[in-house]
């Protein structure tokens, strides 16, 4: 019998396949055991937004909103976008 973590890993693998094969995203690997692992990789987000031309002020604001949303389990991302 599969455990919850095994079922979750299978689901995550399906999501990775969708994002890489159908949506063209680059998979950076399984960072489960990486030190300082986080749901939001701020350095990557910050670098991407800089390349896209966003100001430091807007980048900081976006990261603040993402941090708040990541800690709020009662709301979904749609509520912070509007």
């Amino acid at each position: 019998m599969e455990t919850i973590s095994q079922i979750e890993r299978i689901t995550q693998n399906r999501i990775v396949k969708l994002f890489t094969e159908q949506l063209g995203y680059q998979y950076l690997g399984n960072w489960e055991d990486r030190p300082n692992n986080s749901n939001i990789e701020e350095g990557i987000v910050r670098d991407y937004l800089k390349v896209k031309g966003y100001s430091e002020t807007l980048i900081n604001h976006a990261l603040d909103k993402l941090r708040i949303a990541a800690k709020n389990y009662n709301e979904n991302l749609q509520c912070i976008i509007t």
Side-chain angles (χ1 to χ4, degrees), residues 26-43:
Q26 178 185 5
Y27 180 55
L28 299 177
N30 182 347
W31 290 359
E32 181 179 356
D33 297 322
R34 188 173 136 251
N36 302 315
N37 190 18
S38 172
N39 290 332
I40 303 167
E41 293 295 328
E42 291 190 23

Side-chain angles (χ1 to χ4, degrees), residues 8-23 25 27:
E8 181 177 343
R9 185 71 248 170
I10 290 167
T11 301
Q12 289 174 357
N13 290 342
R14 285 179 34 230
I15 298 298
V16 167
K17 187 175 179 179
L18 167 75
F19 273 72
T20 56
E21 292 180 6
Q22 293 184 21
L23 301 177
Y25 283 77
Y27 180 55

